[in-house]
Amino acid sequence: MKTLRELILLVIVTLLGLGLRWVDLGGESIWLDEAFSLDMGLKDPAGLIRGEPLDPGNPPGYYVLLHLWLNAFGSSVESGRAFSGFFGTLCIPATWLLARAAGQSTAVAILAALLVAVSPPLIYLSREVRVYTLFTLMITLAAAAAEGIVHDRARTPAGKAALWIAFTICGATFSYLHYYSFLILAVFGLYLFIRLLPRGIRSLVFLFLSYVLIVAAFLPWLPMFREQIALGTTRGGATWIQHLIVLPLYSLAGTTLVWKEDGTSVVAGMTGLAMLVVYLPSLYWGARRRTLPIVSLALPMGLIAVAVFISVSKSPMLQSRYLSPVFPCLMLLIASGIVAGFSVWPRGARVVSFTLAGLMLASLSLLYKGGHKEDWRPIAGFIAKEENTLPAYCYEDMGALSLRYCAPWLNVKSIDPVRLHFSPAAERWEKEGLLNELDSSAAGFWMVIYLSLPETMPELPAIDAYLRDRYTVVSEYGASIQSPKFPFLHLYRLQPKRP
């Protein structure tokens, strides 16, 4: 009877999470990463597996699966977001499974699943056409299998083998989803080695064989991976320290409550609140009652430590989104601490619960309010009303895919900000023949300025002055109309000035 009640509660929580992830999927405009994902997902899957085309920074597994989904359910951004929402929803029962495999009570398992169901950052990522929810699901399932192995949940040799097979399959799968998998596999390997060492050589042999198979499964992609490494792609840039500092807040409230645009003091205050009022009490109560699931601490802390080490010693590799796959572990940690807290200090546990609920509800209310992505739909609508036969040039080229999606009839041309960097004074534009091409457009053209790189954002005043001096501005749509959150998106309809 208790098992049935637990399963009913789990189904209710899962359906709640599904509703939160799938409601109003078209409310926000497509943004550049989503446009890139859709573009890749519509490519031939056989070509993707061969690295044709090659994503400079990711393996092809997500795009191949996305291709199958888009073929079955349509190629719209809403369909792509539903794909992410589907796997984001599956993270809810996967978290419950992890909690039970770690020996946690029904109350902890259901609470952890509920926290994942209503988690603002996980819901946000479930409403984007990106890999993170599928990545999170596979890592959570791998953690559940690892806990089953550590706690010897299987009673038969076949059951023990099944747990190792499940862990191996999950590891091989998520190694084709995101390159953070290498960091996570390192943490998993160390965690399992330490936990299994007292059992003797037999368990360590299974661990070794599992990792041999995971590596063997990745070998066919190794030449493409080496090619990606040669491209020199980095993650996180100079802001990785900021992402590390705000991680406690991001893991609970995402970016919709407060973020860097709100100022350092506000973000620091909210981060301190998340750490002092939620995380530290949960850790203390869980440790005091000896109910703290070790995996819920070991996996996130290990991943952060490895990411920080690589960021300091080699290349910036720490970004909030890349750490999101361990958020179910953090929600399990908090759930375990809160349940333990009601036995140690009920009043304090209620304070933590209300604070956490307040952070999440406030963040969710702002999440569904919208306005978190640059909106390309009014840009496309403005062009359609004025003159939709003119070519449109996008600087930077990152905006071209989003504009093509919203205006499929438009002839969109990309201006590479590396090869055709504007500063100083459009010298590269002139050298590479771009200015001659623009000047020869007697009927005029559209120029979309979309600046997303730290090197190009300061160029906006110079670009604006240059275009107004060289061309006649027939009409424009820009920051005065667009949300002030995205001031680096501006549209001009230009004509060469007559001599």
Side-chain angles (χ1 to χ4, degrees):
M1 191 67 179
K2 288 184 179 179
T3 302
L4 179 60
R5 186 182 303 117
E6 183 177 6
L7 291 177
I8 292 173
L9 287 173
L10 179 60
V11 169
I12 293 172
V13 169
T14 302
L15 291 175
L16 170 65
L18 178 63
L20 291 172
R21 284 157 176 78
W22 272 7
V23 66
D24 192 25
L25 287 177
E28 288 270 15
S29 175
I30 192 171
W31 72 296
L32 60 95
D33 280 7
E34 290 185 299
F36 181 80
S37 292
L38 280 179
D39 185 62
M40 292 289 287
L42 293 172
K43 305 295 186 186
D44 175 37
L48 291 171
I49 294 171
R50 294 192 304 268
E52 302 170 359
L54 181 66
D55 179 344
N58 292 292
Y62 169 73
Y63 301 124
V64 172
L65 295 176
L66 178 62
H67 177 89
L68 299 177
W69 177 279
L70 296 177
N71 270 359
F73 300 104
S75 58
S76 67
V77 67
E78 291 85 358
S79 175
R81 289 170 179 172
F83 181 66
S84 296
F86 174 73
F87 289 111
T89 301
L90 291 182
C91 289
I92 300 167
T95 303
W96 170 85
L97 183 64
L98 170 60
R100 297 305 265 160
Q104 297 297 302
S105 66
T106 296
V108 171
I110 294 298
L111 180 57
L114 176 62
L115 291 179
V116 170
V118 300
S119 165
L122 293 178
I123 290 174
Y124 191 98
L125 295 174
S126 294
R127 297 165 62 80
E128 287 191 338
V129 192
R130 298 297 287 161
V131 69
Y132 300 108
T133 57
L134 176 56
F135 194 37
T136 300
L137 173 64
M138 299 311 300
I139 289 170
T140 307
L141 291 175
E147 285 302 276
I149 294 167
V150 166
H151 294 283
D152 208 16
R153 300 297 179 197
R155 298 180 181 180
T156 65
K160 296 177 189 295
L163 287 174
W164 278 112
I165 291 171
F167 176 79
T168 304
I169 291 174
C170 288
T173 300
F174 66 65
S175 68
Y176 274 92
L177 297 177
H178 197 284
Y179 289 135
Y180 244 54
S181 57
F182 298 158
L183 283 62
I184 292 169
L185 283 170
V187 175
F188 266 130
L190 180 60
Y191 173 73
L192 287 171
F193 179 82
I194 293 172
R195 298 299 300 271
L196 297 177
L197 186 60
R199 297 188 188 178
I201 192 67
R202 181 180 175 86
S203 295
L204 297 181
V205 168
F206 278 115
L207 175 61
F208 175 76
L209 289 176
S210 174
Y211 270 70
V212 167
L213 292 173
I214 291 171
V215 172
F218 188 77
L219 286 178
W221 183 251
L222 187 59
M224 293 297 100
F225 174 63
R226 294 176 64 182
E227 185 176 333
Q228 290 170 318
I229 292 294
L231 295 175
T233 302
T234 59
R235 304 286 177 148
T239 63
W240 71 267
I241 296 178
Q242 299 174 24
H243 284 277
L244 175 64
I245 293 171
V246 302
L247 185 60
L249 174 63
Y250 177 77
S251 64
L252 300 180
T255 62
T256 56
L257 185 59
V258 295
W259 202 235
K260 57 187 179 182
E261 296 88 358
D262 299 296
T264 304
S265 59
V266 175
V267 174
M270 295 298 293
T271 301
L273 177 69
M275 197 69 198
L276 294 174
V277 183
V278 178
Y279 276 110
L280 291 181
S282 299
L283 277 168
Y284 172 73
W285 292 328
R288 181 173 173 179
R289 295 286 296 178
R290 297 183 179 180
T291 59
L292 186 69
I294 297 176
V295 69
S296 69
L297 187 61
L299 192 56
M301 293 301 101
L303 178 60
I304 292 170
V306 174
V308 168
F309 174 77
I310 295 175
S311 298
V312 171
S313 62
K314 189 171 180 60
S315 176
M317 286 288 290
L318 197 151
Q319 213 265 9
S320 303
R321 287 169 172 247
Y322 305 156
L323 296 171
S324 62
V326 297
F327 286 2
C329 287
L330 293 177
M331 297 305 101
L332 173 57
L333 183 152
I334 292 171
S336 175
I338 289 176
V339 171
F342 276 102
S343 300
V344 176
W345 186 26
R347 183 176 297 178
R350 282 193 289 270
V351 171
V352 171
S353 301
F354 286 128
T355 302
L356 180 59
L359 284 172
M360 288 185 164
L361 289 173
S363 181
L364 286 175
S365 67
L366 293 173
L367 188 156
Y368 291 110
K369 187 178 179 181
H372 307 296
K373 299 177 176 70
E374 57 269 18
D375 198 342
W376 290 91
R377 293 169 297 190
I379 297 286
F382 188 84
I383 293 175
K385 289 180 180 178
E386 290 239 343
E387 178 54 75
N388 59 20
T389 61
L390 299 178
Y393 294 81
C394 277
Y395 179 78
E396 305 157 13
D397 57 350
M398 295 297 289
L401 286 173
S402 299
L403 183 57
R404 285 193 188 107
Y405 178 85
C406 294
W409 34 262
L410 190 63
N411 179 18
V412 180
K413 302 183 179 183
S414 303
I415 303 176
D416 184 353
V418 177
R419 186 176 65 87
L420 293 170
H421 194 63
F422 174 80
S423 297
E427 287 183 4
R428 292 190 187 180
W429 289 17
E430 183 172 9
K431 182 179 179 181
E432 297 293 332
L434 176 61
L435 290 181
N436 285 336
E437 182 178 342
L438 298 177
D439 292 345
S440 64
S441 302
F445 59 91
W446 294 100
M447 177 64 74
V448 182
I449 305 299
Y450 174 60
L451 307 180
S452 64
L453 299 175
E455 312 90 78
T456 60
M457 285 182 179
E459 294 180 332
L460 184 59
I463 294 174
D464 181 77
Y466 183 87
L467 293 176
R468 293 180 188 279
D469 179 65
R470 189 180 183 94
Y471 302 101
T472 299
V473 179
V474 180
S475 58
E476 60 184 306
Y477 181 99
S480 60
I481 305 173
Q482 189 72 11
S483 166
K485 194 173 182 180
F486 306 104
F488 301 102
L489 176 59
H490 204 99
L491 171 70
Y492 304 85
R493 180 183 172 188
L494 302 172
Q495 276 187 326
K497 288 184 176 179
R498 296 177 180 177

